[in-house]
């Protein structure tokens, strides 16, 4: 049957059985680090509900971890999904966070934007806004640099760090760190692979963690952009403790226990409504005792 995915036709055109689909899902996880339900549904020619059942079955066996919109490998301490995979996961949450974060930039600022897909979505919205006028942007993200290059208006100057390319299309390592150390920025915007209470913010790649540290060292202010799912996973390398971060911007789907614990540790936690009509962002700052200051 022409036009159907190759995996949708096996055993004399009989749709693959559950064990075959699950084997494919695990193969995709080994090569990509993460998979999306919608992409697998299209590739295999089955419903999203069928893929969800397969993922749930594999999760019950401890072979993967379910996340919103898909699944990630259980070896998440070292796993770093490809940028192309991560960029299609939790898009609504990333978009919500990014739209709010551009309010933290003023025309003429000198800022840095780290790697990762949430930071990339933030860069997209920033470059479409009035706040980007006259901005100088330092980045170790190849996709972010390409965004600026593709702009018709050249009112934004971009500085790219150089370095070794990671799976997330970030530039890291000694070359990147040396370039960063010679500069200074007003604000750095960083994503994170996971949030660990009370430790802080982590990445799977130790070189990327070191480069994020270098970006923080040259910034007057550090802002972390991350969705609520990052509190439910862990990773290998710590790049920032809570007291090193000025503001954490996430969505209001973060559970109350995690929100309260985070607010007691970080200077400011901002919970942005996923549905804007439900209200304004909850902006809480800590006074050092863990109490919220309005």
């Amino acid at each position: 049957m022409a036009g159907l995915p190759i995996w949708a036709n096996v055993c004399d055109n009989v749709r693959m059985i559950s064990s075959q689909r699950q084997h494919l899902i695990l193969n995709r996880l080994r090569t990509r680090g993460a998979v999306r339900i919608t992409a697998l549904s299209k590739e295999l020619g089955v419903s999203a509900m069928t893929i969800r059942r397969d993922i749930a079955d594999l999760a019950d066996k401890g072979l993967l971890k379910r996340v919103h919109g898909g699944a990630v490998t259980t070896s998440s301490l070292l796993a770093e999904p490809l940028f192309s995979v991560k960029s299609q996961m939790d898009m609504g949450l990333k978009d919500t966070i990014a739209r709010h974060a551009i309010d933290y930039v003023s025309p003429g600022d000198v800022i840095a934007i780290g790697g990762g897909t949430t930071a990339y979505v933030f860069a997209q919205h920033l470059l479409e806004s009035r706040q980007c006028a006259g901005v100088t942007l330092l980045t170790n993200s190849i996709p972010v640099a390409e965004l600026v290059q593709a702009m018709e208006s050249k009112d934004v100057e971009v500085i790219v760090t150089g370095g070794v390319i990671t799976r997330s299309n970030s530039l890291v390592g000694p070359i990147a760190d040396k370039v960063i150390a010679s500069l200074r920025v007003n604000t750095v915007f960083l994503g994170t692979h996971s949030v660990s209470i009370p430790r802080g913010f982590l990445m799977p790649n130790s070189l990327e963690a070191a480069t994020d540290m270098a970006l923080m060292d040259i910034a007057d202010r550090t802002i972390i952009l991350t969705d609520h799912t990052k509190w439910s996973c862990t990773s290998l390398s710590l790049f920032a403790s809570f007291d090193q971060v000025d503001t954490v911007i996430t969505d209001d789907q973060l559970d109350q226990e995690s929100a309260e614990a985070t607010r007691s540790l970080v200077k400011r936690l901002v919970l942005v409504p996923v549905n804007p009509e439900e209200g304004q962002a909850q902006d809480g700052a800590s006074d050092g005792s863990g109490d919220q200051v309005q």
Side-chain angles (χ1 to χ4, degrees):
M1 297 172 65
L4 286 176
I6 187 171
W7 288 96
N9 294 287
V10 293
C11 302
D12 296 324
N13 291 327
V14 176
R15 183 170 289 169
M16 68 166 60
I17 60 176
S18 176
S19 62
Q20 292 172 314
R21 290 194 307 271
Q22 292 179 14
H23 179 72
L24 174 74
I25 291 169
L26 292 176
N27 279 336
R28 292 292 183 268
L29 277 175
R30 278 190 285 270
T31 58
R32 300 174 183 173
V35 292
R36 292 179 59 230
I37 290 172
T38 52
L40 287 171
S41 174
K42 182 177 180 181
E43 180 179 3
L44 301 180
V46 296
S47 69
M49 183 61 69
T50 296
I51 298 298
R52 288 192 184 92
R53 284 197 296 266
D54 287 335
I55 287 177
D57 188 29
L58 291 168
D60 290 341
K61 296 174 183 176
L63 298 175
L64 54 73
K65 180 177 180 179
R66 299 170 67 181
V67 297
H68 182 76
V72 297
T73 176
T74 52
S75 57
S76 59
L77 286 174
L78 292 171
E80 177 68 7
L82 292 171
F83 183 90
S84 58
V85 175
K86 293 197 299 179
S87 64
Q88 299 300 318
M89 301 182 74
D90 301 315
M91 280 303 300
L93 300 180
K94 294 172 184 176
D95 194 70
T96 295
I97 294 163
R99 287 181 183 276
H100 184 83
I102 63 174
D103 291 339
Y104 291 76
V105 181
S106 299
D109 274 355
V110 180
I111 68 169
I113 299 179
T117 53
T118 305
Y120 174 79
V121 176
F122 162 70
Q124 285 181 310
H125 286 293
L126 176 62
L127 294 173
E128 294 170 355
S129 72
R130 294 180 179 180
Q131 282 98 315
C132 77
V135 163
T136 298
L137 193 164
L138 169 67
T139 188
N140 68 322
S141 167
I142 293 174
V144 169
E146 289 175 340
L147 274 179
V148 180
Q149 184 64 26
M151 287 179 63
E152 293 184 6
S153 170
K154 298 301 179 183
D155 198 24
V156 177
E157 180 180 358
V158 62
I159 302 170
V160 183
T161 64
V164 178
I165 303 175
T166 69
R167 285 171 59 87
S168 61
N169 281 4
S170 299
L171 296 165
V172 302
I175 294 174
D177 298 349
K178 186 174 182 179
V179 171
I180 292 167
S182 67
L183 302 168
R184 190 75 191 176
V185 301
N186 302 127
T187 307
V188 59
F189 296 86
L190 298 172
T192 184
H193 186 268
S194 60
V195 182
S196 175
I197 298 173
R199 293 185 65 203
F201 306 90
L202 300 101
M203 289 286 183
N205 186 317
S206 59
L207 287 177
E208 186 163 8
T211 298
D212 281 351
M213 290 181 195
L215 288 168
M216 291 173 59
D217 284 343
I218 67 162
D220 297 327
R221 178 174 64 167
T222 296
I223 296 177
I224 300 290
L225 311 176
T226 185
D227 66 77
H228 75 276
T229 65
K230 303 301 174 62
W231 271 258
S232 63
C233 58
T234 188
S235 202
L236 177 68
S237 300
L238 183 75
F239 70 88
S241 59
F242 283 99
D243 60 4
Q244 292 176 297
V245 172
D246 296 276
T247 302
V248 176
I249 304 176
T250 187
D251 60 274
D252 65 353
Q253 301 304 300
L254 182 64
D255 66 273
Q256 185 175 354
E257 181 179 354
S258 296
E260 290 176 354
T262 302
R263 186 174 286 117
S264 71
L265 294 167
V266 76
K267 296 174 185 175
R268 173 168 280 104
L269 174 66
V270 180
L271 302 177
V272 186
V274 174
N275 298 310
E277 65 273 10
E278 292 182 359
Q280 296 180 337
Q282 302 174 38
D283 189 341
S286 170
D287 64 358
S289 65
D291 294 329
Q292 183 173 332
V293 179
Q294 299 298 335

